[in-house]
Amino acid sequence: MDLARVKNADKLDLCRKYYLGGFALLPFLWLINSIWFFREAFLKPAYEQQPQIRTYVIRSMIGTTVWLAIIVTWVTVFQTHRVDWGVIADRISFIIPRGVP
Amino acid sequence: MKSIIGIGRVFAIDNRLSATIGSSLLITKEYISFISGEGLRISNKTYIEISGKAACIRRLNGTHQVGCTSGIKGDVGVVHYIQNSSDFDWLLQRGPDKPYAVLLHSEDFSPDRVRQLWYSGKVNGIMVIHTTDDTDLTPFPSTFSPDNTCPGDPYGLYHGDSSYSNCKRQEWNPQGNGLFYADFSFPIFILTNKSEISEIINTCYIKFNKPLEDGSPRPHPLCAVELKARMSGAKDSETCIRRTNTPTNLNPDTYCDPLGDKSVITTIKATTQNEDLPDNSIIMAIARLDSFSLFENIYPSADNHVTGIVGLLAAAEALGKYQDDFMKNDTKDIMFAFLNGEAFDYIGSSRVIYDMGRAEFPTKYKDGQTQLHNINLKKLHSIVEVNQLGHRDDGKLWMHTDPLSGFVATQIEEMVEIIKNLSNNLIDRADISLPLPPASTQRFLKKMEKKIPAVVITDHQRAFTNKYYNSRFDLASTIEADPGNVTNPEEVVTEQAQNLTLAASALAKSLYRLATGLDPPQNMEADQSTVSQLLYCFLQSPYCELFRQIVSPDDDSTLKKKAESGPYPFYVSVDTVDNHVTSLTKRLMTKFVGSQVNVSKDNCKQPDNNKVFQYVWMQGALTRDAYNKTSRQNHCMKSTTLSVVAKSPAFLLDDYDWKSGEYSTWTESSWQVGAISIRIFLVPSKQLEESHHHSQSATLSLRWYNAVEGQNTMQGVFLVKSGSYPWYIRRSLILKKGGDLQQDPVAAPTTKHQTSDKKTQCYESVMIEVTGHVTIFKDNITITCRAAKSGNLNYINNIQIYRNNSAGNNPLVTVSYDRGSTGSMINWQEQGLKLRAIAEGDVHNSNPELKFLRLNILANMSRCYDEGSYTCSLHAQTTSGQQYDEEASGDVMVHSVPDRIDKIQINAKDNNYVNPTQTTGQFPVGHLVKMTCSGTVGKPPTQFRWCIKENTDTDFMVLNHLYAIVSHSNVTQVENCNNQRATYLSYTVSNLDTLTVLLCEPETELYCGKNLLNRTFIIKTTQSSINVGNRAALYSPNIRILISIFANLLLFIFYF
């Protein structure tokens, strides 16, 4: 969808949907929201709905960052502690490597 | 399809052989046998597979992993053959081309050597020569046992006992080196094929790798070997069993399997569950069925425990003829037990005891069936166990008894007396203060709190007389049971057979006496010919008359096939399939103590409601009929002989504590198809070494570096990532402008600080900085002279730059103090240089350290003769008015890169096969094409290499196989510092060359086909409609992992 051809009110609506949708444990929606509407929120000349869109985009960005931090932390912790965790680590692994503890 | 390709290729190679007689050809006739019958892809041409091998594999128990594993893709090392200690020292002290893979003689394969090699950091794989038919290549070590010095102790009777545990009284296996229980993170193989070994030594090692007379290492190409024995299991049995059973694993796999098989049990009296079976009424006669060695599939086990098995079988046969004497009510029963898995912490005996405890031995009762009476420990009267019987100490066998069984001491004394008398002192009593040697009996005594009389008969009075306990040298030849090279080996009665017959007779008589209380019949003797045949069948060849008699007619061909690869292994192995040795032992017992029933093959089976007897269909003995035709009399045999599960109870109990040490926890790691292989190949140059076979997935990244100030040489560590394991290599690098990396060809210092003799200490004042290595037309040449710490100088007259090279020592440019303008003035002495260089300088600056002269020869104007030694010469006056001169020099090397490559030239006689532009040729299969590729190779000179891409390949690979012959011309110097060179290729067209692209390029990049400067030539065959080989080869197993990761990602997304 080309945002340039969408009415401002619809943009706000779309941005809000993505923002709210992100709360359903869907961080990718926030990621997309913050990239897609970045221009609308910060670079375009001011228009009526812009402050609201900007709020959503900023919150989406924060959400994305928090998610990213959570995921990175988890991956790091898991990779470094997999061997120590033993049973639990094996249970939550999709792929168990061969030939290493 | 495969065989057609094979034939085609062999034909092609023959051609190649005849075409290149007299040239320095790597291949010999033997190689043809290695490759025939294979679908030959590039890899087959590049690598030579070694087939005669046995790997050290990984096994696990409740707490450890032991054995060996290689990296995921195998470990590559330059072959180094250690013949004597000087080869060994050379490797450790010099050996510049690490990693190495060493080839050792069996004598040198000791724990100390292995440790030294490993800790040297230069070795990543070991091959041990083991050809039992050639004592020159494989001189047997005087002793070798990979077991430890006190086998089986942790699970035995004396574990934890203050006076007997850990072999305090007697170390049973003093030659045990414990290698079996070591955890090696590198591959160890034995090589078993004589011709392959001599190829590795002669064609690979001596030809390419053997250091020169003066000990200097050989240049590339070097012959390397890839040793691959990648194991799936890791850590311990608990972990690998759990992982095998983890349901969330997207890549379901078997990481390890429990060790286990079957034990063979026979009772002479067939007491059913409806009859009375009194306590203390069964004499147990035990032999152990298995052993181990360090290497997969090499488990000869002659003394330990074939001699025991044969002894007990022959005794059973002798007793079987007097079965009727046992049928009275007051006689005791004899239970023959051939226990399996005993070498791995007593798997078989533990399971028998466990099953006895839960009333499932020998079988579990089922309603409506007549079965053998359950036997529990209370039913046992006494135990007689036979162990190793081959190496007799003092010419006798020895009875060992348990010194702690005081409760039954008198019964033990009676047993000992009976056996001693009936054997005419052949079986004597060992020192009564000694504990029992490693024996299954220990498990029974442990469970029964030593309240059962037991005797263990074996060939050693104190320590093992067997010098090769649980090793690959425990062979027929080492127990003198090898009939030698005769026409009818089965009929030869060796000395060992005679001795074993005597022992078996004594054993039979003793068991008879113990069971019946009567004197044994006079003519009760074991059969010498049975003993001979059993030894032959178990140790030499399973395709023997005795085994042929007892197998079913359908299995005769299997036996014959198996005989080609030698005797059956005596290793308990994983519990998924029954061992041949076990089922043959069961059939032998059926033959020896069973009786014939006259039914047809279809009816030769158990009735539904009577499970007392087992029925076995046998091929029978060879007979001659009236017309002198030979045939086998197939018949049905029934006996109580049955096999019971020999799998450790540890794997049955849900909440078993793996570290408790109660039951055996041994598992064998599994490995994937193709995870065990050895192949040799040539490494063309050092640059390519690490990436050679990782060429598809390797990425190179600079991990860290430590730049040395004032030099442009860097010390760095490369991280070559391949698959999932990193490989660190420390290298010296030159960091050139433009960021590309190159290995250091010369370790010349780039900055020199020379000072003249006249100088006194306080006048240290001139420094030179040069760009040490430059590429012509690409890098500026900068020479900077700096005056430093010139505090004691009054003023500097001038600074001058000289260049010293083949054209002489010439002044180039000078900066001097200009009194007129009170500034600095540049003067050119070399007028030609003025046009292509910029000079700036200052000798007037108030800050003495900012006095300098810089000459900058522009990159696009640089010349070959700019190479040389540059000197900064300082002329100054000291505060005391004296003249002061000083010089400093630095070297500049002018390099060049390959910049021209000519069209590939095809031998003129082949013109009719080649198209007019000479870029494509269509040749008949088997045609030898000679081509030449020439051009410039840069300075310092590299060389051209050939790469190949066949029809189905996606990338170019180095044409490094042993059948395409590549040679290089000498280097001739041409303009612009460049060198000219040619490379010649003789390539034999095969039927795989449906659309083969040959590429010639300078060898400057790691991977083939990445150099922009290249020439290609396309080869097609004139043959039409050729199948293009096996497409499946394109899909590596890694694809599976990629798919799994992709699936993971998808799941991850759906998860939210």
Side-chain angles (χ1 to χ4, degrees), chain A residues 90-91 94 96 98-99 101, chain B residues 232 242-243 250 253 255 1048:
Chain A
D90 282 354
R91 286 221 184 107
F94 282 135
I96 303 172
R98 294 188 192 95
Chain B
S232 296
R242 182 183 71 224
R243 288 179 176 178
L250 273 189
D253 202 352
Y255 292 82
N1048 254 351

Side-chain angles (χ1 to χ4, degrees), chain B residues 350-418:
Chain B
S350 306
R351 182 57 184 264
V352 166
I353 293 165
Y354 179 78
D355 284 345
M356 281 178 168
R358 57 176 189 165
E360 287 187 16
F361 184 84
T363 51
K364 194 178 176 182
Y365 288 154
K366 280 190 189 131
D367 286 345
Q369 286 183 351
T370 310
Q371 280 172 273
L372 283 172
H373 199 292
N374 259 336
I375 297 168
N376 58 34
L377 289 168
K378 278 188 188 152
K379 309 289 180 196
L380 300 184
H381 169 267
S382 54
I383 296 173
V384 176
E385 177 172 353
V386 283
N387 265 352
Q388 317 169 72
L389 300 177
H391 296 285
R392 298 175 178 203
D393 210 348
D394 267 353
K396 287 186 187 175
L397 296 175
W398 300 90
M399 273 180 282
H400 293 259
T401 53
D402 172 35
L404 301 176
S405 297
F407 198 77
V408 287
T410 47
Q411 285 113 300
I412 291 175
E413 291 307 319
E414 280 172 27
M415 283 176 74
V416 166
E417 275 310 301
I418 289 172

Side-chain angles (χ1 to χ4, degrees), chain B residues 110-129:
Chain B
S110 64
D112 287 345
R113 278 270 155 112
V114 172
R115 219 163 283 139
Q116 265 178 296
L117 288 171
W118 180 243
Y119 288 125
S120 75
K122 288 184 171 183
V123 173
N124 69 354
I126 294 175
M127 294 173 281
V128 184
I129 297 172

Side-chain angles (χ1 to χ4, degrees), chain B residues 517-564:
Chain B
L518 305 171
D519 280 333
Q522 278 303 310
N523 49 357
M524 184 173 177
E525 298 286 347
D527 183 11
Q528 190 164 277
S529 115
T530 304
V531 172
S532 293
Q533 288 193 57
L534 282 169
L535 284 174
Y536 178 81
C537 295
F538 277 130
L539 297 176
Q540 307 281 339
S541 166
Y543 194 61
C544 59
E545 177 55 27
L546 184 56
F547 279 8
R548 291 185 70 187
Q549 283 179 22
I550 58 168
V551 298
S552 80
D554 307 335
D555 289 335
D556 195 59
S557 56
T558 318
L559 266 189
K560 187 173 185 179
K561 213 168 155 190
K562 174 61 202 170
E564 291 160 13

Side-chain angles (χ1 to χ4, degrees), chain B residues 628-645:
Chain B
N628 211 15
K629 259 178 90 179
T630 55
S631 61
R632 293 194 180 272
Q633 298 294 308
N634 298 359
H635 60 272
C636 185
M637 293 288 291
K638 74 165 190 180
S639 88
T640 58
T641 307
L642 77 171
S643 45
V644 298
V645 176

Side-chain angles (χ1 to χ4, degrees), chain A:
Chain A
M1 195 191 291
D2 186 358
L3 279 184
R5 296 186 196 165
V6 181
K7 274 186 237 151
N8 286 343
D10 292 344
K11 281 181 198 165
L12 177 61
D13 190 42
L14 204 58
C15 189
R16 185 192 292 119
K17 275 182 188 159
Y18 269 76
Y19 168 66
L20 294 175
F23 282 107
L25 300 178
L26 294 167
F28 281 100
L29 286 190
W30 281 339
L31 178 68
I32 291 164
N33 205 19
S34 44
I35 296 168
W36 199 17
F37 284 96
F38 184 83
R39 186 179 293 274
E40 294 293 331
F42 297 106
L43 304 178
K44 281 273 171 73
Y47 52 94
E48 188 194 342
Q49 290 86 352
Q50 200 185 33
Q52 196 58 39
I53 288 181
R54 189 177 292 166
T55 314
Y56 290 143
V57 169
I58 289 172
R59 288 182 187 174
S60 294
M61 282 172 164
I62 294 168
T64 311
T65 317
V66 169
W67 267 100
L68 192 72
I70 292 170
I71 290 169
V72 167
T73 312
W74 167 247
V75 169
T76 313
V77 169
F78 179 70
Q79 292 298 343
T80 50
H81 289 81
R82 188 181 62 79
V83 175
D84 305 336
W85 289 350
V87 192
I88 298 157
D90 282 354
R91 286 221 184 107
I92 59 176
S93 288
F94 282 135
I95 295 171
I96 303 172
R98 294 188 192 95
V100 289

Side-chain angles (χ1 to χ4, degrees), chain B residues 551-619:
Chain B
V551 298
S552 80
D554 307 335
D555 289 335
D556 195 59
S557 56
T558 318
L559 266 189
K560 187 173 185 179
K561 213 168 155 190
K562 174 61 202 170
E564 291 160 13
S565 50
Y568 283 119
F570 285 81
Y571 165 52
V572 61
S573 186
V574 295
D575 64 340
T576 45
V577 276
D578 285 3
N579 292 349
H580 293 287
V581 163
T582 311
S583 52
L584 285 166
T585 306
K586 185 182 162 192
R587 281 174 176 267
L588 284 167
M589 280 305 286
T590 306
K591 176 180 162 66
F592 292 156
V593 301
S595 54
Q596 191 168 337
V597 278
N598 288 323
V599 292
S600 69
K601 187 181 179 184
D602 291 340
N603 292 324
C604 186
K605 60 183 183 201
Q606 278 182 333
D608 287 339
N609 57 359
N610 190 328
K611 303 289 179 194
V612 175
F613 293 103
Q614 311 276 322
Y615 294 76
V616 175
W617 188 250
M618 291 183 182
Q619 198 168 226

